[in-house]
Amino acid sequence: MTHAQTPLGTPAVRTEARDKVTGAARYAAEHTPPGCAYAWPVPATVARGRVTAVHADEVLALPGVLAVLSHENAPRLKEPDDPILAVLQNARVPHRGWYVALVVADTLEHASAAAEALRVEYAAEEHDVRLTTSHPGLYTPEEANSEVPAVRERGDFDTAYPAAAVRIDATYTMSALHNHPMEPHASTARWDDGHLTVHDSSQGSGKVRDALVQVFGLEKRQVTVVSEQVGGGFGSKGTPRPQVVLAAMAARHTGRPVKLALPRRQLAAVVGHRAPTVQRVRLGAGADGVITALAHEVVTQTSTVKEFVEQAAVPARVMYTSPHSRTSHRVAALDVPSPSWMRAPGEASGMYALESAMDELAVAAGVDPVELRLRNEPDTEPDSGRPFSSRHLAECLREGARRFGWERRDPRPGIRREGDLLLGTGVAAATYPVLVSPSTATAHAAADGTYLIRVNATDIGTGARTVLAQIAADVLGAPLESVRVEIGSSDLPVAPLAGGSSGTASWGWSVHKACVLLAERLRDRPGGLPAEGVTAAESTEQEVAEAEESPYARHAFGAHFAEVQVDTVTGEVRVRRLLGVYAAGRILNPRTARSQFIGGMTMGIGMALTEESTMDLAFGDFAEHDLASYHVPSCADVPPIEAHWVDEDDPHLNPMGSKGIGEIGIVGTAAAIGNAVHHALGVRLRELPLTPDKLLPHLSAPAGGE
């Protein structure tokens, strides 16, 4: 029966909501097989060097200790594609916090106590953890993340920039940032007759399964990884992390199931982080503010373990008119933990610098910041020359300005005051690419009129289960409550991880395709279904391959507006209002979409005002290890946030017409807040986060100074 009102596009409540609030939803560390042992890792206490001795005998005599694994006795692994998984394989210490041993005991308390007591000796070496723009080890990689060229040049920037009537040359810096999902990285592993089963906190159980197959020399049929419930990831669980290998290794060594949940204070060193960046942006424009020359040059760091290059200059290749352009990345390999993906990698960092520079250009040219962006709207994607499949950034800016009351803004900085508070408003644009990967799904119609969708998607808090059920119900013309979705196991049909805002587009495409085929098969059976029902399976490999050859540039866009107050006594910045307006294709579920946009903007507040990671140069480690010292925004830090969107019909995406929404909310938020602080204070600050110590020296300065 076809319903006039399709479930797709409605604010359906999450299908797993009751399980989560009642505790029925079980996470990786909540699976405790009979006889389960507990593991606790031992991090290196030197910033570089070699392990010379592990005094395992001293702790093996402690109560409940079952084993101590180190490079001396740990099972040998096959060389992994990702070297951070080569744990306990040699004596090398590439950075502080690198795991050098693992203690396994009968209880969590015994394991942690023994790990604390384990004595490890080192031959320490000189280390280098300081990132500077003049570091002798800086080099230009072939590619930045996402396999994009590290350097792109168009036109003649060196000639066009000096000739510009208005010029901006500014450098913006950010410290490292950490993902800190609510659920720590955890794995529970067991071996049964040569078959490895792992419950892992991961954004993609298929990726984890493939890594375990590789390092243990197994076949895919011998490994099952389950990531059914995941308490956030923000990129840090996008690739397998050491705990899953350690848990499987310990389970094999002891012959017992082993549970390993990483302590939060260890996460900064082993699960990735947003790399610190130093970004120089130069903008040359005519007197009207139209850009004639643009350069965005990024310096960042990676580790000596693996190369990871934050692609922060890439957004500048997408955003604005720029006939003469230079975008480049340089990187230094330091004795630091390996950076990795963090929500909107590249875009979040790069757009902070670019959108701050755009605000500086607006001030220098005497053009309203919204109008400046409208004047620099490109006809095609600047870097590739391809037409946009859809680009409604102008509509986002205009609608956001209308909702925010931008027309009442006095452009003069340092003017609005309420007692000791200076007030300001700022704007920034946002962009994120449309990404999609091949996916497979099955759709089953049961004789009782219900449907089962099976796909190895991962719901990291986004509402993926619900949206996939809505897609299926829409195609099948069925009530939403008749559709059940199974996700989060590597034994399910192959699907990509949850990352890059690509999950719904990838999984949803395969679910849509499988349901279309199922509906066709059901129409061919007018006499009813057999007792076993009817199943259809489909893959999107061909369609995704064709999409990757698309003649269109496909991106989501948005605009952020912020109002802040600066306390002239304490130097504290607080956000009063925050508004985001987005153009992200068809919104498949307004309830879960708004949640994602607001979540991204909340992380943007942290990026702008509170989150900071200090590298201790002598110690060779991040100083902020926990949520007491690394300050993510709390409820008191977050004002009422508004998230809206413009209707966008883009036929060049996928059958649902959707774009990713999980990351674009963070992309422009920090810049909008930083621009609002400039408007309030009259002083341009270019180092995040904007903490009181950075503002206080300027509060006695005359308003309007730069």
Side-chain angles (χ1 to χ4, degrees):
M1 174 172 113
T2 302
H3 291 66
Q5 176 65 45
T6 172
L8 200 58
T10 64
V13 176
R14 294 172 188 246
T15 59
E16 81 281 10
R18 180 174 293 275
D19 286 346
K20 285 187 173 179
V21 299
T22 60
R26 299 174 69 199
Y27 294 79
E30 295 179 309
H31 294 269
T32 309
C36 188
Y38 296 80
W40 196 278
V42 178
T45 57
V46 297
R48 178 175 171 173
R50 295 183 64 81
V51 175
T52 57
V54 178
H55 295 278
D57 55 320
E58 297 175 1
V59 299
L60 285 169
L62 295 178
V65 176
L66 303 174
V68 176
L69 298 180
S70 70
H71 72 281
E72 296 175 349
N73 66 334
R76 296 298 93 187
L77 303 174
K78 307 290 184 183
E79 184 175 352
D81 290 337
D82 187 344
I84 71 164
L85 300 181
V87 286
L88 309 186
Q89 297 301 290
N90 57 58
R92 179 191 174 213
V93 176
H95 60 78
R96 189 179 293 271
W98 179 264
Y99 288 143
V100 295
L102 183 74
V103 176
V104 187
D106 59 351
T107 68
L108 180 64
E109 292 78 10
H110 284 154
S112 62
E116 284 290 323
L118 182 64
R119 198 158 52 89
V120 181
E121 296 181 23
Y122 304 90
E125 302 170 4
E126 290 294 320
H127 64 269
D128 179 10
V129 297
R130 185 194 295 269
L131 176 65
T132 67
T133 56
S134 58
H135 193 284
L138 279 172
Y139 67 95
T140 301
E142 291 186 12
E143 294 180 336
N145 290 331
S146 301
E147 299 180 345
V148 297
V151 178
R152 291 283 288 170
E153 296 211 29
R154 290 181 286 105
D156 185 355
F157 174 83
D158 290 331
T159 299
Y161 179 73
V166 183
R167 294 186 297 276
I168 296 297
D169 185 346
T171 298
Y172 307 89
T173 60
M174 289 173 46
S175 71
L177 298 175
H178 299 283
N179 311 65
H180 278 304
M182 184 179 295
E183 178 201 21
H185 295 63
S187 301
T188 303
R190 71 178 190 271
W191 295 82
D192 299 299
D193 297 326
H195 187 95
L196 172 62
T197 301
V198 182
H199 288 85
D200 186 51
S201 182
S202 164
Q203 292 174 225
S205 61
K207 283 282 189 184
V208 176
R209 187 268 315 276
D210 293 347
L212 293 173
V213 165
Q214 182 186 34
V215 298
F216 287 104
L218 303 171
E219 298 180 10
K220 288 187 177 182
R221 61 179 176 79
Q222 295 177 278
V223 181
T224 298
V225 176
V226 180
S227 302
E228 190 175 6
Q229 302 287 351
V230 181
F234 311 118
S236 68
K237 299 175 184 175
T239 54
R241 296 300 177 185
Q243 89 281 345
V244 71
V245 176
L246 289 170
M249 183 186 293
R252 170 175 273 188
H253 182 81
T254 62
R256 297 174 58 164
V258 172
K259 182 186 299 189
L260 171 55
L262 298 186
R264 186 167 296 278
R265 69 176 183 269
Q266 295 181 7
L267 298 186
V270 294
V271 303
H273 58 274
R274 193 191 304 283
T277 54
V278 181
Q279 304 180 62
R280 183 187 184 190
V281 180
R282 286 176 286 173
L283 299 176
D288 57 359
V290 175
I291 297 170
T292 56
L294 182 157
H296 192 163
E297 296 159 309
V298 177
V299 169
T300 186
Q301 70 185 35
T302 187
S303 72
T304 61
V305 178
K306 61 186 291 188
E307 183 181 87
F308 185 96
V309 183
E310 186 85 353
Q311 69 274 31
V314 170
R317 303 172 185 177
V318 173
M319 284 302 294
Y320 299 115
T321 297
S322 51
H324 303 280
S325 171
R326 174 182 298 145
T327 49
S328 67
H329 303 81
R330 289 188 298 155
V331 63
L334 305 179
D335 302 315
V336 298
S338 299
S340 186
W341 317 105
M342 183 170 172
R343 199 171 198 167
E347 280 72 20
S349 303
M351 286 292 280
Y352 162 66
L354 179 62
E355 290 302 296
S356 299
M358 288 293 287
D359 199 67
E360 298 203 41
L361 178 61
V363 172
V367 179
D368 176 81
V370 172
E371 175 61 26
L372 180 82
R373 288 166 172 81
L374 295 174
R375 290 184 187 182
N376 284 284
E377 272 287 283
D379 295 326
T380 59
E381 185 182 57
D383 204 45
S384 69
R386 293 180 299 173
F388 291 99
S389 65
S390 58
R391 179 179 168 118
H392 292 92
L393 174 57
E395 287 85 343
C396 292
L397 287 163
R398 293 190 179 102
E399 177 65 10
R402 183 189 70 79
R403 288 178 176 272
F404 196 74
W406 187 259
E407 73 283 353
R408 299 190 297 272
R409 180 183 193 258
D410 187 330
R412 296 174 297 168
I415 297 298
R416 291 179 61 202
R417 180 183 285 269
E418 291 180 0
D420 291 331
L421 304 178
L422 289 169
L423 308 182
T425 52
V427 63
T431 188
Y432 200 79
V434 171
L435 303 174
V436 65
S437 297
S439 180
T440 306
T442 63
H444 176 79
D448 63 0
T450 62
Y451 302 90
L452 173 62
I453 306 302
R454 303 179 81 239
V455 57
N456 188 20
T458 312
D459 193 330
I460 55 174
T462 57
R465 288 177 180 82
T466 308
V467 173
L468 293 176
Q470 289 177 273
I471 292 170
D474 175 63
V475 175
L476 296 168
L480 182 60
E481 58 270 18
S482 70
V483 179
R484 186 164 61 91
V485 178
E486 287 187 6
I487 64 171
S489 171
S490 62
D491 288 345
L492 292 169
V494 176
L497 59 85
S501 296
S502 66
T504 298
S506 303
W507 313 320
W509 197 337
S510 63
V511 168
H512 186 282
K513 191 177 177 183
C515 289
V516 167
L517 180 58
L518 179 62
E520 292 174 353
R521 292 182 177 176
L522 294 177
R523 284 194 293 270
D524 294 337
R525 289 179 172 270
L529 300 181
E532 69 273 15
V534 176
T535 299
E538 283 286 9
S539 167
T540 62
E541 188 167 354
Q542 179 179 343
E543 288 86 348
V544 169
E546 293 171 355
E548 290 175 347
E549 299 300 322
S550 172
Y552 296 96
R554 298 172 298 169
H555 305 268
F557 293 94
H560 294 123
F561 292 80
E563 181 180 37
V564 304
Q565 65 182 42
V566 177
D567 191 314
T568 57
V569 177
T570 67
E572 180 186 21
V573 178
R574 297 190 71 84
V575 178
R576 284 190 166 194
R577 289 190 293 152
L578 191 58
L579 165 70
V581 180
Y582 304 96
R586 183 184 182 188
I587 299 301
L588 304 183
N589 183 319
R591 185 190 302 265
T592 57
R594 183 169 281 108
S595 176
Q596 286 298 293
F597 290 138
I598 289 174
M601 287 190 280
T602 300
M603 285 190 77
I605 293 174
M607 179 178 172
L609 300 181
T610 66
E611 296 185 43
E612 185 171 23
S613 186
T614 309
M615 177 57 70
D616 187 308
L617 300 181
F619 200 62
D621 196 8
F622 297 117
E624 295 80 10
H625 282 127
D626 54 32
L627 294 179
S629 54
Y630 184 87
H631 299 295
V632 300
S634 67
C635 292
D637 300 311
V638 182
I641 296 177
E642 292 186 57
H644 303 277
W645 47 85
V646 299
D647 293 329
E648 191 173 55
D649 182 12
D650 190 332
H652 307 294
L653 303 172
N654 53 59
M656 301 83 67
S658 64
K659 297 178 179 179
I661 59 174
E663 295 171 280
I664 194 171
I666 193 177
V667 171
T669 299
I673 293 171
N675 294 338
V677 169
H678 168 262
H679 185 233
L681 191 61
V683 175
R684 182 72 62 177
L685 303 177
R686 302 184 179 96
E687 180 183 0
L688 292 184
L690 301 175
T691 45
D693 57 303
K694 298 185 179 78
L695 273 75
L696 283 170
H698 304 285
L699 287 173
S700 60
E706 288 288 330

